[in-house]
Amino acid sequence: MGQLLDAPRPTSILEVVAGLGEVQIDPTSVVARTEHLVLFSRLGPRFRVAELERLLWQDRALFEYWVHIVPIGDLPMHRISMRRYPDGNWKRHAYVREWLAANDEFVRYVLAELRRRGPLRARDLENRAAEGWRVGGWNDEGQSAPMLLDILWDRGKVMIVGRDGQQRLWDLASRSLPKVASRPTAAMASELVERQVRARGLTRIDRLGFLFDGAMPGRERALREHLRTGLVVPIEVDGLPGGWFAHRELLDTAFRGRTVALSPFDDLISDRDRTERLFDMYYRIEIYVPKAKRRWGYFVLPVLRGDRLVGRFDPAFDRRENVLRINAIHMQEDERPGDRDAVERAIDELARWLGVDAVERPHI
Protein backbone atom coordinates (compact mmCIF):
# COMPACT_ATOMS: atom_id res chain seq x y z
CA MET A 1 0.00 0.00 0.00
CA GLY A 2 2.78 2.42 0.83
CA GLN A 3 4.21 1.86 -2.66
CA LEU A 4 0.81 2.60 -4.26
CA LEU A 5 0.66 -0.83 -5.86
CA ASP A 6 -2.61 -1.87 -4.24
CA ALA A 7 -6.16 -1.29 -5.45
CA PRO A 8 -7.64 1.11 -6.28
CA ARG A 9 -4.95 2.78 -8.36
CA PRO A 10 -3.76 6.36 -7.75
CA THR A 11 -5.44 8.91 -9.98
CA SER A 12 -2.59 11.20 -11.09
CA ILE A 13 1.13 11.50 -11.68
CA LEU A 14 1.38 14.11 -8.93
CA GLU A 15 -0.28 11.74 -6.46
CA VAL A 16 2.22 9.02 -7.30
CA VAL A 17 5.34 11.18 -7.08
CA ALA A 18 4.15 12.82 -3.85
CA GLY A 19 3.32 9.43 -2.35
CA LEU A 20 6.62 7.80 -3.27
CA GLY A 21 8.68 10.92 -2.58
CA GLU A 22 10.84 10.38 -5.65
CA VAL A 23 10.90 8.36 -8.87
CA GLN A 24 14.27 7.20 -10.13
CA ILE A 25 15.32 8.14 -13.67
CA ASP A 26 17.18 5.79 -15.99
CA PRO A 27 17.43 6.15 -19.78
CA THR A 28 17.60 2.40 -20.48
CA SER A 29 14.66 1.94 -22.82
CA VAL A 30 14.39 -1.71 -23.84
CA VAL A 31 10.67 -1.31 -23.21
CA ALA A 32 10.42 2.22 -21.81
CA ARG A 33 12.45 4.50 -19.57
CA THR A 34 12.32 3.31 -15.97
CA GLU A 35 10.57 6.45 -14.65
CA HIS A 36 7.83 5.81 -17.21
CA LEU A 37 7.54 2.16 -16.16
CA VAL A 38 7.27 3.12 -12.49
CA LEU A 39 4.44 5.54 -13.23
CA PHE A 40 2.75 3.00 -15.53
CA SER A 41 2.88 0.40 -12.74
CA ARG A 42 0.90 2.75 -10.49
CA LEU A 43 -1.43 4.41 -13.00
CA GLY A 44 -1.89 1.70 -15.60
CA PRO A 45 -2.36 2.24 -19.35
CA ARG A 46 -3.81 5.71 -18.82
CA PHE A 47 -0.35 7.06 -17.94
CA ARG A 48 0.92 9.39 -20.66
CA VAL A 49 4.54 10.50 -21.05
CA ALA A 50 3.38 13.85 -22.48
CA GLU A 51 1.56 14.58 -19.22
CA LEU A 52 4.72 13.92 -17.20
CA GLU A 53 6.73 16.22 -19.49
CA ARG A 54 4.12 18.96 -19.09
CA LEU A 55 4.36 18.71 -15.30
CA LEU A 56 8.17 18.84 -15.49
CA TRP A 57 8.90 21.43 -18.16
CA GLN A 58 5.81 23.67 -18.31
CA ASP A 59 3.90 23.56 -15.04
CA ARG A 60 7.10 23.05 -12.98
CA ALA A 61 5.07 20.98 -10.51
CA LEU A 62 7.92 18.45 -10.59
CA PHE A 63 11.67 18.75 -11.13
CA GLU A 64 14.68 16.49 -11.56
CA TYR A 65 17.30 16.21 -8.83
CA TRP A 66 19.95 13.56 -8.20
CA VAL A 67 18.60 11.47 -11.10
CA HIS A 68 15.11 11.41 -9.59
CA ILE A 69 11.81 13.13 -10.27
CA VAL A 70 10.63 14.92 -7.12
CA PRO A 71 7.72 17.22 -6.21
CA ILE A 72 8.36 20.95 -6.26
CA GLY A 73 6.85 21.08 -2.79
CA ASP A 74 9.86 19.14 -1.49
CA LEU A 75 12.31 21.78 -2.70
CA PRO A 76 12.94 23.15 0.83
CA MET A 77 14.14 19.69 1.90
CA HIS A 78 16.34 19.25 -1.15
CA ARG A 79 17.76 22.76 -0.74
CA ILE A 80 19.45 21.47 2.42
CA SER A 81 21.42 18.93 0.38
CA MET A 82 22.11 21.50 -2.34
CA ARG A 83 23.48 24.01 0.15
CA ARG A 84 25.82 21.47 1.73
CA TYR A 85 27.21 19.79 -1.39
CA PRO A 86 30.12 18.94 -1.71
CA ASP A 87 30.71 19.09 2.04
CA GLY A 88 31.52 15.74 3.55
CA ASN A 89 34.32 13.32 4.24
CA TRP A 90 33.97 11.11 1.18
CA LYS A 91 37.00 10.96 -1.10
CA ARG A 92 34.87 12.12 -4.04
CA HIS A 93 33.64 15.14 -2.08
CA ALA A 94 37.22 16.19 -1.39
CA TYR A 95 38.10 15.79 -5.07
CA VAL A 96 35.08 17.86 -6.16
CA ARG A 97 36.05 20.69 -3.78
CA GLU A 98 39.63 20.73 -5.12
CA TRP A 99 38.46 20.50 -8.74
CA LEU A 100 36.02 23.39 -8.35
CA ALA A 101 38.72 25.53 -6.76
CA ALA A 102 41.09 24.79 -9.65
CA ASN A 103 38.38 25.60 -12.22
CA ASP A 104 36.83 28.74 -10.76
CA GLU A 105 37.03 30.57 -14.11
CA PHE A 106 35.42 27.59 -15.86
CA VAL A 107 32.52 27.72 -13.39
CA ARG A 108 32.03 31.44 -14.02
CA TYR A 109 32.11 30.85 -17.79
CA VAL A 110 29.44 28.13 -17.69
CA LEU A 111 27.10 30.15 -15.46
CA ALA A 112 27.57 33.24 -17.62
CA GLU A 113 26.83 31.30 -20.82
CA LEU A 114 23.67 29.84 -19.34
CA ARG A 115 22.61 33.29 -18.17
CA ARG A 116 23.24 34.72 -21.63
CA ARG A 117 22.21 31.89 -23.96
CA GLY A 118 20.42 29.22 -21.92
CA PRO A 119 18.91 26.71 -22.00
CA LEU A 120 21.91 24.82 -23.40
CA ARG A 121 23.11 21.28 -23.92
CA ALA A 122 26.45 20.23 -22.43
CA ARG A 123 27.94 20.08 -25.91
CA ASP A 124 27.01 23.74 -26.49
CA LEU A 125 29.63 24.75 -23.89
CA GLU A 126 33.35 24.97 -24.52
CA ASN A 127 35.64 22.88 -22.35
CA ARG A 128 37.60 25.65 -20.61
CA ALA A 129 38.67 23.55 -17.66
CA ALA A 130 42.10 24.52 -16.36
CA GLU A 131 42.27 21.08 -14.79
CA GLY A 132 40.42 18.23 -16.52
CA TRP A 133 38.11 15.86 -14.71
CA ARG A 134 40.25 12.89 -13.65
CA VAL A 135 38.77 10.21 -11.44
CA GLY A 136 39.52 7.20 -13.62
CA GLY A 137 37.00 5.61 -15.94
CA TRP A 138 34.74 6.56 -18.83
CA ASN A 139 33.74 9.90 -17.25
CA ASP A 140 37.21 11.38 -17.70
CA GLU A 141 38.01 12.04 -21.34
CA GLY A 142 36.34 15.20 -22.60
CA GLN A 143 33.77 15.16 -19.82
CA SER A 144 34.69 18.28 -17.89
CA ALA A 145 31.67 20.33 -19.04
CA PRO A 146 29.09 17.56 -18.39
CA MET A 147 30.64 16.80 -15.00
CA LEU A 148 30.66 20.48 -14.03
CA LEU A 149 26.98 20.73 -14.93
CA ASP A 150 26.25 17.69 -12.78
CA ILE A 151 28.12 19.25 -9.86
CA LEU A 152 26.32 22.57 -10.28
CA TRP A 153 23.08 20.56 -10.43
CA ASP A 154 23.94 18.87 -7.13
CA ARG A 155 24.56 22.32 -5.67
CA GLY A 156 21.24 23.67 -6.96
CA LYS A 157 22.90 26.27 -9.20
CA VAL A 158 21.60 24.82 -12.47
CA MET A 159 18.66 22.59 -13.31
CA ILE A 160 17.49 20.37 -16.14
CA VAL A 161 14.69 22.27 -17.86
CA GLY A 162 13.94 19.97 -20.80
CA ARG A 163 15.40 17.46 -23.23
CA ASP A 164 16.53 17.54 -26.84
CA GLY A 165 16.15 13.84 -27.62
CA GLN A 166 18.37 12.17 -25.02
CA GLN A 167 20.36 15.38 -24.41
CA ARG A 168 19.54 17.27 -21.24
CA LEU A 169 18.83 20.99 -21.49
CA TRP A 170 20.41 23.05 -18.71
CA ASP A 171 19.59 26.50 -17.38
CA LEU A 172 20.10 28.56 -14.26
CA ALA A 173 18.06 27.16 -11.37
CA SER A 174 16.92 30.67 -10.50
CA ARG A 175 14.87 30.68 -13.72
CA SER A 176 12.96 27.47 -12.99
CA LEU A 177 12.86 27.02 -9.22
CA PRO A 178 11.23 29.28 -6.63
CA LYS A 179 13.25 30.78 -3.79
CA VAL A 180 12.77 28.81 -0.58
CA ALA A 181 14.41 28.56 2.81
CA SER A 182 17.13 25.93 3.11
CA ARG A 183 17.46 25.58 6.87
CA PRO A 184 16.42 22.22 8.35
CA THR A 185 13.69 22.32 10.98
CA ALA A 186 12.20 19.78 13.35
CA ALA A 187 8.97 19.93 11.36
CA MET A 188 10.83 19.00 8.15
CA ALA A 189 12.49 16.01 9.85
CA SER A 190 9.15 14.88 11.27
CA GLU A 191 7.40 15.11 7.90
CA LEU A 192 10.27 13.40 6.08
CA VAL A 193 10.36 10.40 8.43
CA GLU A 194 6.57 10.01 8.42
CA ARG A 195 6.40 10.10 4.61
CA GLN A 196 9.33 7.77 4.07
CA VAL A 197 8.05 5.18 6.51
CA ARG A 198 4.68 5.31 4.75
CA ALA A 199 6.21 5.05 1.27
CA ARG A 200 8.42 2.08 2.10
CA GLY A 201 5.66 0.04 3.74
CA LEU A 202 8.13 -1.39 6.22
CA THR A 203 11.60 -0.06 6.76
CA ARG A 204 14.56 0.36 9.06
CA ILE A 205 15.92 3.69 10.27
CA ASP A 206 19.10 3.20 8.20
CA ARG A 207 16.94 3.13 5.05
CA LEU A 208 15.29 6.49 5.60
CA GLY A 209 17.97 8.84 4.21
CA PHE A 210 18.03 8.02 0.50
CA LEU A 211 17.92 11.22 -1.56
CA PHE A 212 18.74 13.41 1.41
CA ASP A 213 21.94 11.44 2.10
CA GLY A 214 21.92 12.26 5.79
CA ALA A 215 21.56 15.99 5.12
CA MET A 216 18.41 16.18 7.24
CA PRO A 217 19.38 16.17 10.93
CA GLY A 218 16.93 15.07 13.58
CA ARG A 219 15.58 12.02 11.77
CA GLU A 220 16.24 9.69 14.71
CA ARG A 221 14.57 12.17 17.09
CA ALA A 222 11.59 12.42 14.75
CA LEU A 223 11.30 8.64 14.57
CA ARG A 224 11.32 8.38 18.37
CA GLU A 225 8.54 10.97 18.55
CA HIS A 226 6.45 9.12 15.96
CA LEU A 227 6.98 5.90 17.90
CA ARG A 228 5.87 7.63 21.09
CA THR A 229 2.67 8.92 19.52
CA GLY A 230 1.97 5.61 17.77
CA LEU A 231 2.07 7.01 14.23
CA VAL A 232 5.00 4.69 13.51
CA VAL A 233 4.84 1.16 14.95
CA PRO A 234 7.71 -1.28 15.56
CA ILE A 235 7.05 -4.62 13.89
CA GLU A 236 8.67 -8.03 13.57
CA VAL A 237 9.14 -9.62 10.16
CA ASP A 238 9.62 -13.37 9.95
CA GLY A 239 13.15 -14.19 8.91
CA LEU A 240 14.35 -10.57 8.95
CA PRO A 241 16.56 -9.42 11.81
CA GLY A 242 16.83 -5.83 12.97
CA GLY A 243 14.47 -3.08 14.06
CA TRP A 244 11.65 -2.68 11.51
CA PHE A 245 8.90 -0.09 11.46
CA ALA A 246 5.62 0.51 9.67
CA HIS A 247 3.13 3.36 9.43
CA ARG A 248 0.11 2.86 11.69
CA GLU A 249 -2.35 3.92 8.99
CA LEU A 250 -1.07 1.22 6.64
CA LEU A 251 -1.43 -1.46 9.31
CA ASP A 252 -5.00 -0.33 9.99
CA THR A 253 -6.05 -0.36 6.31
CA ALA A 254 -7.45 -3.42 4.57
CA PHE A 255 -5.22 -4.55 1.70
CA ARG A 256 -6.59 -5.07 -1.81
CA GLY A 257 -3.93 -6.26 -4.20
CA ARG A 258 -3.64 -6.14 -7.96
CA THR A 259 -1.37 -7.50 -10.68
CA VAL A 260 1.30 -5.40 -12.37
CA ALA A 261 4.75 -5.58 -13.96
CA LEU A 262 7.57 -3.70 -12.21
CA SER A 263 10.59 -1.80 -13.48
CA PRO A 264 13.95 -3.31 -12.43
CA PHE A 265 14.60 0.01 -10.64
CA ASP A 266 11.25 0.14 -8.83
CA ASP A 267 11.62 1.07 -5.15
CA LEU A 268 9.71 -2.06 -4.13
CA ILE A 269 12.51 -4.28 -5.46
CA SER A 270 15.53 -1.97 -5.75
CA ASP A 271 16.98 -3.41 -2.53
CA ARG A 272 17.75 -6.87 -3.92
CA ASP A 273 18.48 -8.51 -0.55
CA ARG A 274 15.22 -7.14 0.87
CA THR A 275 13.38 -8.43 -2.21
CA GLU A 276 14.78 -11.92 -1.69
CA ARG A 277 13.92 -11.97 2.00
CA LEU A 278 10.44 -10.47 1.73
CA PHE A 279 9.29 -12.05 -1.54
CA ASP A 280 11.56 -15.10 -1.84
CA MET A 281 12.70 -13.94 -5.28
CA TYR A 282 16.37 -13.78 -6.19
CA TYR A 283 16.42 -10.87 -8.61
CA ARG A 284 19.31 -9.19 -10.37
CA ILE A 285 19.35 -7.03 -13.49
CA GLU A 286 21.53 -8.67 -16.14
CA ILE A 287 22.12 -5.83 -18.59
CA TYR A 288 25.88 -6.01 -18.02
CA VAL A 289 26.04 -9.81 -17.87
CA PRO A 290 27.31 -11.52 -21.06
CA LYS A 291 24.39 -13.01 -22.97
CA ALA A 292 25.62 -16.59 -22.55
CA LYS A 293 25.75 -16.17 -18.77
CA ARG A 294 22.33 -14.57 -18.26
CA ARG A 295 19.96 -16.64 -16.19
CA TRP A 296 16.76 -14.65 -16.68
CA GLY A 297 17.31 -12.17 -19.53
CA TYR A 298 18.50 -8.69 -20.46
CA PHE A 299 15.79 -6.45 -18.94
CA VAL A 300 13.53 -8.68 -16.88
CA LEU A 301 10.35 -7.30 -15.28
CA PRO A 302 9.05 -9.03 -12.12
CA VAL A 303 5.30 -9.41 -11.78
CA LEU A 304 3.53 -8.52 -8.54
CA ARG A 305 0.28 -10.33 -7.83
CA GLY A 306 -1.28 -9.00 -4.66
CA ASP A 307 1.46 -9.27 -2.04
CA ARG A 308 3.57 -11.85 -3.91
CA LEU A 309 6.12 -11.74 -6.71
CA VAL A 310 4.91 -14.64 -8.83
CA GLY A 311 7.16 -14.56 -11.88
CA ARG A 312 9.16 -12.49 -14.31
CA PHE A 313 9.38 -11.97 -18.05
CA ASP A 314 12.05 -10.68 -20.45
CA PRO A 315 10.49 -8.17 -22.89
CA ALA A 316 11.80 -6.13 -25.81
CA PHE A 317 9.82 -3.43 -27.62
CA ASP A 318 10.50 -3.48 -31.36
CA ARG A 319 9.54 0.10 -32.20
CA ARG A 320 10.08 -0.28 -35.93
CA GLU A 321 7.68 -3.23 -36.16
CA ASN A 322 5.56 -1.98 -33.22
CA VAL A 323 5.71 -5.41 -31.62
CA LEU A 324 6.30 -6.37 -28.00
CA ARG A 325 8.45 -9.51 -27.95
CA ILE A 326 8.53 -11.65 -24.83
CA ASN A 327 11.80 -13.57 -24.95
CA ALA A 328 11.15 -15.67 -21.86
CA ILE A 329 8.75 -16.15 -18.95
CA HIS A 330 9.96 -17.56 -15.64
CA MET A 331 7.56 -18.53 -12.86
CA GLN A 332 8.45 -18.79 -9.19
CA GLU A 333 9.06 -22.27 -7.79
CA ASP A 334 6.06 -21.93 -5.45
CA GLU A 335 3.69 -21.27 -8.38
CA ARG A 336 0.04 -21.25 -7.39
CA PRO A 337 -3.13 -21.53 -9.47
CA GLY A 338 -3.70 -18.31 -11.37
CA ASP A 339 -0.10 -17.08 -11.15
CA ARG A 340 0.69 -17.79 -14.81
CA ASP A 341 -2.53 -16.07 -15.90
CA ALA A 342 -1.49 -13.08 -13.77
CA VAL A 343 1.81 -12.82 -15.62
CA GLU A 344 -0.05 -12.96 -18.95
CA ARG A 345 -2.39 -10.19 -17.79
CA ALA A 346 0.60 -8.05 -16.80
CA ILE A 347 2.11 -8.55 -20.29
CA ASP A 348 -1.20 -7.64 -21.95
CA GLU A 349 -1.53 -4.48 -19.85
CA LEU A 350 2.01 -3.42 -20.75
CA ALA A 351 1.20 -4.02 -24.42
CA ARG A 352 -1.95 -1.87 -24.21
CA TRP A 353 0.01 0.98 -22.67
CA LEU A 354 2.73 0.77 -25.34
CA GLY A 355 0.07 0.62 -28.06
CA VAL A 356 1.72 -2.26 -29.92
CA ASP A 357 0.14 -4.05 -32.87
CA ALA A 358 1.09 -7.50 -31.60
CA VAL A 359 2.67 -9.42 -28.76
CA GLU A 360 5.02 -12.28 -29.63
CA ARG A 361 5.31 -14.79 -26.82
CA PRO A 362 7.92 -17.53 -26.42
CA HIS A 363 7.09 -21.01 -27.62
CA ILE A 364 6.63 -23.19 -24.55
Side-chain angles (χ1 to χ4, degrees), residues 176-192:
S176 60
L177 297 180
K179 291 184 177 180
V180 296
S182 60
R183 298 289 178 181
T185 66
M188 281 185 183
S190 178
E191 178 187 354
L192 175 62

Side-chain angles (χ1 to χ4, degrees), residues 208-265:
L208 292 182
F210 199 45
L211 269 187
F212 301 92
D213 194 28
M216 179 71 71
R219 287 178 300 142
E220 291 82 0
R221 188 183 307 111
L223 177 61
R224 289 195 298 270
E225 180 61 19
H226 288 320
L227 287 166
R228 187 189 67 79
T229 62
L231 186 64
V232 174
V233 180
I235 60 174
E236 294 183 2
V237 182
D238 290 343
L240 294 182
W244 292 82
F245 307 92
H247 199 286
R248 166 59 70 186
E249 292 180 6
L250 298 182
L251 296 177
D252 291 341
T253 303
F255 174 73
R256 290 175 53 203
R258 55 186 173 89
T259 295
V260 68
L262 302 174
S263 161
F265 303 101

Side-chain angles (χ1 to χ4, degrees), residues 103 105-107 109-110 113 125-131 144-145:
N103 286 289
E105 290 187 10
F106 187 31
V107 173
Y109 157 74
V110 167
E113 287 296 286
L125 296 162
E126 298 176 16
N127 181 3
R128 297 189 180 183
E131 179 180 310
S144 292

Side-chain angles (χ1 to χ4, degrees), residues 17 22-27 33 35-36 52-53 55-57 60-72 75 78 82 150 152-154 156 158-163 165-170 173 176-177 211:
V17 180
E22 70 278 320
V23 173
Q24 184 176 343
I25 297 170
D26 188 272
R33 291 175 62 98
E35 62 269 29
H36 300 162
L52 173 63
E53 292 177 345
L55 292 169
L56 280 165
W57 316 132
R60 307 293 185 187
L62 305 170
F63 69 102
E64 293 188 16
Y65 185 54
W66 277 11
V67 201
H68 288 76
I69 296 170
V70 295
I72 195 67
L75 179 58
H78 293 291
M82 294 173 184
D150 276 348
L152 294 175
W153 184 30
D154 289 339
V158 305
M159 281 289 143
I160 299 167
V161 296
R163 278 187 168 78
Q166 293 296 323
Q167 296 290 312
R168 296 179 291 184
L169 294 174
W170 298 92
S176 60
L177 297 180
L211 269 187

